[in-house]
Amino acid sequence: MAGERWRHHMDYIITLFGSSIGSGAFIKFPYLCMRNGGGAFLIPFALFTIIAVIPCVFLDMVIGQFSQSGPINAWNMCPPFKGIGVGILILLWIVFSLYNAIFSWFAYFFYYSFSSTLPWANCDNDWNTPSCISDSGINKTYMNHTEVTNCTAYSHQVNVTGGAYACRTAAEEFWRLQVLQLTDGLHDMGGVRWPLVLCLAITYLILFVCQCRGIKVTGKLVYVTVGFPFVLIIVFLVRGCLLPGSAEGMYYFIKPNFDKLKEPGIWIEACGYALFSLNVGMGFNLTLSRYNKVNNNCLRDAVWVCIVDLLATILVGFSFFSIIGHVAYQRGVTVEAFASSGFNLAFIVYPQVLTYLPLPQLWSTLTFIMLMTLEIDCQLPAIEVISSAFVDMFPSLRKRRWLPTALILLSSFPFAIIYLLQGGIYMLTLVEWYAYFPSTALFALSECIVMGWLYGTTRLQADVQLMWGKKIPELFIMLIKFASPLLLVITFGYSLYSYRPPKYEDYIYPAWATAVGWMISCASIVPLPALFIWAVWRTPGNTLTEKIRQSLQPNKQWGEQALDEMADEVPCT
């Protein structure tokens, strides 16, 4: 909003930092490390953060700060590409309800963490089945007279009198049979899980209270929602280091399997996670940068945020693998035995691991508080991006921040309930699978092409020098024009080449669900070519070439507000 500013520059940095870490560092990153040879994954991850992500984050910051606008009006510099901004809004609205549903699951586990005995630690609950296993083996309530052979907490089949059962841990049964009450697939979505809807309503209330006053409140709130989780991460790391077996876990994390580096998949996944971690192509960095003073040094901020994010993610890895190493030592298995992806890691492996720590209720409570606060750090900027675009279109909303916030929350709430049906996780997995692919890579690639070649680095240099009085290093220019676009093209192309249909555990999605998934994916992409054609068609000119050339020029609104305020700013370095 015009005139609105961060109260302190550190508010901006901490907000960016919180949105970049998020719960993904605890859910996606450990799995990708275990999947890609431990320390071997860190090498391409660090490399891509430096040569691909920093330039993209820098461009986001420059565009937002110079335009002083949200994700749509920022593209006044090249109007045919306003479809990127519209696509970002559609993408964020789709995933917003999805991640609020995940938050409600965290809240549900948080509630049960206050139980005298953690319900996922044993098989003595009403929902447990004959094939449930815990430390003491098969559920004795059902199986006290049967002979059990070769069943551990990490096996998948158990032979018992009367037949064979799928072997599931107590944590897995709590997740599947109590939290989700899982159905067989999309054809049977089941009923609403009302306890989870209550958690969801509380989630939306928290977000409204935090966001309705804008960045002057959220800019201070992030000191708690970012600082508290990292205090806990350090506590987890220190506690883990004092437990037997932790050294083996951390050694696994830092020891590279160099054979893995010969596989293209690890490089693509490392590049993809680096882009995801820093919210490239999501509009977060652009929108939050609009509230900076015009003379702020974006290059310094981009380098600082990306490097700290890289180091913080590695710190999370040490914390995670120190605890996993201890539990692996206790169970007599290898660290690889805990290699689970996505929701299984967050809602089965984590709870199961916590039961092996002293005072498990305390550690469980702290863990899910940490995950919830990190989720808030991602959701608040998402609301800001969408509401910022609405305020740009309807300036009368500037003094009523609560109204666009309420509209965003109310419009997404019914869709979030869909994910809390008994079969909702199938829909959630489908939406998450397609929502980001391939739109975020396409948006980031388009931004690099526009800034590097259409708007041009000469204009970019002039804008930067006007803002903080220094030029961009030539190395950065080369990265913006060549290295970053090339890596994004390779990532985009290989992702299409290696595409596989979605899957949740053993459930195979039907063809119609895959079609729905591609429709979700296209929903955020279609505005880009549609608005490009519309902008060219409306531009005056006698030939198509003349129309295209003229339409790609910045319009009168580009940088207008920044230039108006420039006289009142004193350049700083």
Side-chain angles (χ1 to χ4, degrees):
M1 281 130 263
E4 192 169 8
R5 289 284 180 267
W6 297 103
R7 289 184 175 178
H8 192 281
H9 186 62
M10 191 55 67
D11 299 358
Y12 164 67
I13 296 296
I14 297 296
T15 302
L16 284 175
F17 184 45
S19 67
S20 65
I21 292 294
S23 59
F26 293 85
I27 298 176
K28 295 179 181 290
F29 180 71
Y31 167 68
L32 290 173
C33 286
M34 288 187 279
R35 172 188 169 104
N36 292 292
F41 184 76
L42 298 179
I43 297 173
F45 173 53
L47 180 64
F48 286 134
T49 296
I50 295 171
I51 67 175
V53 176
I54 291 180
C56 291
V57 172
F58 170 67
L59 289 180
D60 276 344
M61 291 179 173
V62 168
I63 294 171
Q65 183 171 301
F66 191 75
S67 69
Q68 299 283 288
S69 301
I72 297 179
N73 284 1
W75 289 96
N76 284 327
M77 66 172 174
C78 197
F81 286 86
K82 283 191 174 185
I84 294 176
V86 176
I88 286 174
L89 297 186
I90 295 172
L91 168 63
L92 289 180
W93 190 87
I94 290 173
V95 300
F96 179 73
S97 58
L98 180 152
Y99 283 108
N100 283 325
I102 295 175
F103 185 100
S104 69
W105 292 335
F106 289 148
Y108 193 77
F109 273 83
F110 172 73
Y111 171 78
Y112 272 97
S113 297
F114 292 95
S115 305
S116 57
T117 301
L118 294 178
W120 52 82
N122 60 72
C123 295
D124 300 328
N125 306 287
D126 294 339
W127 59 80
N128 291 127
T129 66
S131 55
C132 177
I133 56 174
S134 60
D135 284 343
S136 56
I138 295 294
N139 188 342
K140 297 299 188 289
T141 304
Y142 291 95
M143 312 300 293
N144 55 5
H145 62 282
T146 61
E147 181 181 355
V148 179
T149 59
N150 297 327
C151 185
T152 70
Y154 304 99
S155 62
H156 299 282
Q157 190 74 21
V158 56
N159 294 317
V160 297
T161 302
Y165 292 84
C167 185
R168 295 197 183 108
T169 64
E172 186 177 0
E173 291 209 340
F174 177 78
W175 168 240
R176 294 172 60 91
L177 305 180
Q178 172 62 10
V179 180
L180 301 179
Q181 297 184 5
L182 193 63
T183 60
D184 294 331
L186 286 172
H187 62 280
D188 179 16
M189 293 297 288
V192 176
R193 294 285 292 116
W194 291 110
L196 294 177
V197 174
L198 176 61
C199 294
L200 182 70
I202 295 172
T203 302
Y204 273 73
L205 179 61
I206 292 172
L207 292 174
F208 178 78
V209 171
C210 293
Q211 185 63 32
C212 66
R213 297 294 300 276
I215 61 167
K216 292 184 179 179
V217 173
T218 58
K220 299 303 179 185
L221 180 67
V222 291
Y223 287 90
V224 176
T225 59
V226 175
F228 180 68
F230 274 89
V231 171
L232 293 182
I233 290 169
I234 294 172
V235 170
F236 275 117
L237 178 59
V238 172
R239 180 65 183 123
C241 290
L242 298 176
L243 297 172
S246 60
E248 285 75 11
M250 290 187 288
Y251 180 70
Y252 174 86
F253 175 55
I254 62 176
K255 179 187 177 183
N257 179 356
F258 289 107
D259 289 337
K260 279 285 185 178
L261 295 176
K262 300 176 184 178
E263 302 174 7
I266 183 175
W267 295 89
I268 299 302
E269 290 191 345
C271 186
Y273 182 75
L275 294 168
F276 171 82
S277 178
L278 271 301
N279 301 305
V280 174
M282 297 282 289
F284 286 15
N285 304 314
L286 186 154
T287 301
L288 296 176
S289 297
R290 72 174 294 183
Y291 304 119
N292 284 333
K293 292 181 179 180
V294 180
N295 61 358
N296 175 62
N297 189 331
C298 297
L299 180 59
R300 176 192 57 203
D301 292 344
V303 173
W304 170 249
V305 169
C306 292
I307 295 301
V308 172
D309 174 79
L310 172 63
L311 296 177
T313 303
I314 294 174
L315 177 65
V316 169
F318 274 111
S319 177
F320 174 85
F321 282 98
S322 67
I323 299 294
I324 289 295
H326 167 65
V327 177
Y329 170 82
Q330 280 194 319
R331 296 297 306 171
V333 298
T334 62
V335 173
E336 289 90 340
F338 295 90
S340 293
S341 62
F343 305 121
N344 284 353
L345 180 62
F347 299 108
I348 296 178
V349 174
Y350 276 161
Q352 184 176 341
V353 164
L354 294 170
T355 62
Y356 294 106
L357 297 177
L359 301 175
Q361 289 87 349
L362 173 63
W363 293 110
S364 180
T365 302
L366 294 177
T367 296
F368 287 105
I369 287 178
M370 176 178 64
L371 291 172
M372 286 190 293
T373 53
L374 289 172
E375 199 67 41
I376 288 175
D377 291 332
C378 294
Q379 295 298 75
L380 291 179
I383 299 175
E384 184 62 45
V385 173
I386 301 173
S387 62
S388 176
F390 278 108
V391 171
D392 283 345
M393 290 186 288
F394 306 103
S396 60
L397 295 176
R398 289 173 184 168
K399 296 182 180 180
R400 291 180 287 180
R401 285 299 306 267
W402 62 270
L403 184 55
T405 299
L407 290 175
I408 295 166
L409 295 175
L410 290 174
S411 64
S412 67
F413 187 82
F415 291 90
I417 293 178
I418 295 175
Y419 303 128
L420 301 182
L421 297 172
Q422 290 172 310
I425 194 168
Y426 298 115
M427 181 60 71
L428 189 147
T429 301
L430 178 70
V431 174
E432 187 189 41
W433 192 281
Y434 286 100
Y436 293 103
F437 173 79
S439 56
T440 51
L442 182 61
F443 296 158
L445 175 61
S446 300
E447 182 177 294
C448 287
I449 292 173
V450 170
M451 295 300 289
W453 298 96
L454 301 180
Y455 184 74
T457 54
T458 301
R459 286 174 175 164
L460 178 62
Q461 284 280 28
D463 294 343
V464 167
Q465 195 162 15
L466 184 64
M467 284 192 287
W468 66 84
K470 288 186 177 181
K471 288 188 176 182
I472 309 169
E474 287 300 320
L475 176 61
F476 255 71
I477 296 296
M478 298 298 290
L479 293 176
I480 291 170
K481 295 186 69 172
F482 301 105
S484 294
L486 178 62
L487 289 173
L488 288 167
V489 167
I490 293 174
T491 302
F492 180 77
Y494 189 84
S495 298
L496 291 175
Y497 170 76
S498 61
Y499 163 80
R500 64 187 189 281
K503 182 180 180 182
Y504 179 72
E505 295 185 345
D506 295 329
Y507 177 70
I508 305 298
Y509 282 79
W512 66 265
T514 302
V516 170
W518 280 110
M519 292 173 62
I520 293 171
S521 182
C522 291
S524 59
I525 296 175
V526 167
L528 178 54
L531 291 183
F532 188 98
I533 295 171
W534 173 256
V536 172
W537 181 74
R538 292 188 61 189
T539 301
N542 297 321
T543 65
L544 179 60
T545 302
E546 185 180 343
K547 283 176 171 286
I548 293 176
R549 185 182 297 110
Q550 183 62 31
S551 68
L552 295 175
Q553 299 302 310
N555 63 24
K556 295 179 180 179
Q557 288 75 39
W558 168 244
E560 185 178 62
Q561 186 175 337
L563 294 172
D564 289 342
E565 296 183 11
M566 196 69 68
D568 300 325
E569 301 280 1
V570 178
C572 66
T573 57

CSV table of all heavy atoms in Angstrom, one decimal, residues 2 20 29 83 106 109 119 162 179-180 287-288 313 344 474 494 507-508 555 570:
chain,number,residue,atom,x,y,z
A,2,ALA,N,0.4,2.3,-0.7
A,2,ALA,CA,1.2,3.5,-0.8
A,2,ALA,C,1.5,4.0,0.6
A,2,ALA,O,0.6,4.2,1.4
A,2,ALA,CB,0.4,4.5,-1.7
A,20,SER,N,10.7,-18.4,4.0
A,20,SER,CA,11.6,-19.3,3.2
A,20,SER,C,11.9,-20.6,4.0
A,20,SER,O,11.9,-21.6,3.3
A,20,SER,CB,12.9,-18.6,2.9
A,20,SER,OG,13.7,-18.4,4.1
A,29,PHE,N,13.1,-31.4,3.2
A,29,PHE,CA,14.5,-31.5,3.2
A,29,PHE,C,15.1,-32.8,3.7
A,29,PHE,O,16.0,-33.4,3.1
A,29,PHE,CB,15.1,-30.2,3.9
A,29,PHE,CG,16.6,-30.2,3.9
A,29,PHE,CD1,17.3,-29.9,2.8
A,29,PHE,CD2,17.3,-30.4,5.1
A,29,PHE,CE1,18.7,-29.9,2.8
A,29,PHE,CE2,18.7,-30.4,5.1
A,29,PHE,CZ,19.4,-30.1,4.0
A,83,GLY,N,0.2,-11.5,-16.7
A,83,GLY,CA,-0.4,-12.8,-16.4
A,83,GLY,C,0.4,-13.6,-15.4
A,83,GLY,O,-0.1,-14.5,-14.7
A,106,PHE,N,-1.4,-30.5,12.3
A,106,PHE,CA,-0.4,-30.2,13.4
A,106,PHE,C,-1.1,-29.9,14.7
A,106,PHE,O,-0.7,-30.3,15.8
A,106,PHE,CB,0.4,-29.0,12.9
A,106,PHE,CG,1.4,-29.3,11.8
A,106,PHE,CD1,1.7,-28.3,10.9
A,106,PHE,CD2,2.0,-30.5,11.7
A,106,PHE,CE1,2.6,-28.5,9.9
A,106,PHE,CE2,2.9,-30.8,10.6
A,106,PHE,CZ,3.2,-29.8,9.8
A,109,PHE,N,-2.4,-33.0,16.5
A,109,PHE,CA,-1.3,-33.7,17.2
A,109,PHE,C,-0.9,-32.9,18.4
A,109,PHE,O,-0.5,-33.5,19.4
A,109,PHE,CB,-0.1,-33.9,16.2
A,109,PHE,CG,-0.2,-35.1,15.4
A,109,PHE,CD1,-1.0,-35.2,14.2
A,109,PHE,CD2,0.4,-36.3,15.8
A,109,PHE,CE1,-1.0,-36.3,13.4
A,109,PHE,CE2,0.4,-37.5,15.0
A,109,PHE,CZ,-0.4,-37.5,13.8
A,119,PRO,N,-0.9,-41.2,22.4
A,119,PRO,CA,-1.7,-42.3,21.9
A,119,PRO,C,-1.1,-43.0,20.7
A,119,PRO,O,-1.5,-44.1,20.3
A,119,PRO,CB,-3.0,-41.5,21.4
A,119,PRO,CG,-2.5,-40.1,21.2
A,119,PRO,CD,-1.5,-39.9,22.3
A,162,GLY,N,-4.5,-67.6,11.6
A,162,GLY,CA,-5.7,-67.2,10.9
A,162,GLY,C,-5.5,-66.3,9.7
A,162,GLY,O,-6.4,-65.9,9.1
A,179,VAL,N,-6.7,-39.9,13.2
A,179,VAL,CA,-6.7,-38.5,12.6
A,179,VAL,C,-7.5,-38.4,11.3
A,179,VAL,O,-8.4,-37.6,11.2
A,179,VAL,CB,-5.2,-38.1,12.4
A,179,VAL,CG1,-5.2,-36.7,11.9
A,179,VAL,CG2,-4.4,-38.2,13.7
A,180,LEU,N,-7.1,-39.3,10.3
A,180,LEU,CA,-7.8,-39.2,9.0
A,180,LEU,C,-9.0,-40.0,8.9
A,180,LEU,O,-10.0,-39.6,8.3
A,180,LEU,CB,-6.8,-39.7,7.9
A,180,LEU,CG,-5.5,-38.9,7.8
A,180,LEU,CD1,-4.6,-39.5,6.7
A,180,LEU,CD2,-5.7,-37.4,7.5
A,287,THR,N,6.4,-8.9,-3.2
A,287,THR,CA,5.4,-8.1,-2.5
A,287,THR,C,5.9,-7.6,-1.2
A,287,THR,O,5.7,-6.4,-0.8
A,287,THR,CB,4.2,-9.0,-2.2
A,287,THR,OG1,3.6,-9.5,-3.4
A,287,THR,CG2,3.1,-8.3,-1.4
A,288,LEU,N,6.7,-8.4,-0.5
A,288,LEU,CA,7.2,-7.9,0.8
A,288,LEU,C,8.2,-6.7,0.6
A,288,LEU,O,8.4,-5.9,1.4
A,288,LEU,CB,7.9,-9.0,1.6
A,288,LEU,CG,6.9,-10.1,2.0
A,288,LEU,CD1,7.7,-11.3,2.7
A,288,LEU,CD2,5.9,-9.6,3.0
A,313,THR,N,18.8,-24.2,7.0
A,313,THR,CA,18.3,-25.5,6.5
A,313,THR,C,19.3,-26.6,6.9
A,313,THR,O,18.9,-27.7,7.3
A,313,THR,CB,18.1,-25.5,5.0
A,313,THR,OG1,17.2,-24.4,4.6
A,313,THR,CG2,17.5,-26.8,4.5
A,344,ASN,N,4.0,-38.8,5.6
A,344,ASN,CA,4.4,-39.9,6.4
A,344,ASN,C,5.5,-39.5,7.3
A,344,ASN,O,5.6,-39.9,8.5
A,344,ASN,CB,4.8,-41.1,5.6
A,344,ASN,CG,3.6,-41.8,5.0
A,344,ASN,OD1,2.5,-41.5,5.3
A,344,ASN,ND2,3.9,-42.8,4.1
A,474,GLU,N,29.0,-7.3,-12.5
A,474,GLU,CA,28.9,-8.0,-13.8
A,474,GLU,C,28.6,-9.4,-13.7
A,474,GLU,O,27.9,-10.0,-14.5
A,474,GLU,CB,30.2,-7.7,-14.6
A,474,GLU,CG,30.3,-6.3,-15.2
A,474,GLU,CD,29.2,-5.9,-16.1
A,474,GLU,OE1,28.7,-6.8,-16.9
A,474,GLU,OE2,28.7,-4.8,-16.0
A,494,TYR,N,13.4,-31.2,-17.6
A,494,TYR,CA,13.6,-32.6,-17.0
A,494,TYR,C,12.4,-32.9,-16.1
A,494,TYR,O,12.0,-34.1,-16.1
A,494,TYR,CB,14.8,-32.6,-16.1
A,494,TYR,CG,15.2,-34.0,-15.6
A,494,TYR,CD1,15.9,-34.8,-16.4
A,494,TYR,CD2,14.8,-34.4,-14.4
A,494,TYR,CE1,16.3,-36.1,-16.0
A,494,TYR,CE2,15.1,-35.7,-13.9
A,494,TYR,CZ,15.9,-36.5,-14.7
A,494,TYR,OH,16.2,-37.8,-14.3
A,507,TYR,N,-2.1,-46.2,-3.1
A,507,TYR,CA,-3.3,-45.8,-3.9
A,507,TYR,C,-2.8,-45.2,-5.3
A,507,TYR,O,-2.0,-44.2,-5.3
A,507,TYR,CB,-4.1,-44.8,-3.1
A,507,TYR,CG,-5.3,-44.3,-3.9
A,507,TYR,CD1,-6.4,-45.1,-4.2
A,507,TYR,CD2,-5.4,-42.9,-4.4
A,507,TYR,CE1,-7.5,-44.6,-4.9
A,507,TYR,CE2,-6.4,-42.5,-5.1
A,507,TYR,CZ,-7.5,-43.3,-5.3
A,507,TYR,OH,-8.6,-42.9,-6.0
A,508,ILE,N,-3.3,-45.7,-6.3
A,508,ILE,CA,-3.1,-45.3,-7.7
A,508,ILE,C,-4.2,-44.4,-8.1
A,508,ILE,O,-5.4,-44.8,-8.1
A,508,ILE,CB,-2.9,-46.4,-8.7
A,508,ILE,CG1,-1.8,-47.4,-8.2
A,508,ILE,CG2,-2.5,-45.9,-10.1
A,508,ILE,CD1,-0.4,-46.7,-8.1
A,555,ASN,N,5.1,0.9,-19.1
A,555,ASN,CA,4.1,1.9,-19.2
A,555,ASN,C,4.3,3.1,-18.3
A,555,ASN,O,5.3,3.1,-17.6
A,555,ASN,CB,2.7,1.3,-19.0
A,555,ASN,CG,2.5,0.7,-17.6
A,555,ASN,OD1,3.2,1.1,-16.7
A,555,ASN,ND2,1.5,-0.2,-17.5
A,570,VAL,N,17.4,9.7,1.0
A,570,VAL,CA,18.8,9.9,0.9
A,570,VAL,C,19.5,8.6,0.6
A,570,VAL,O,19.4,7.6,1.3
A,570,VAL,CB,19.4,10.5,2.3
A,570,VAL,CG1,20.9,10.7,2.2
A,570,VAL,CG2,18.7,11.7,2.7
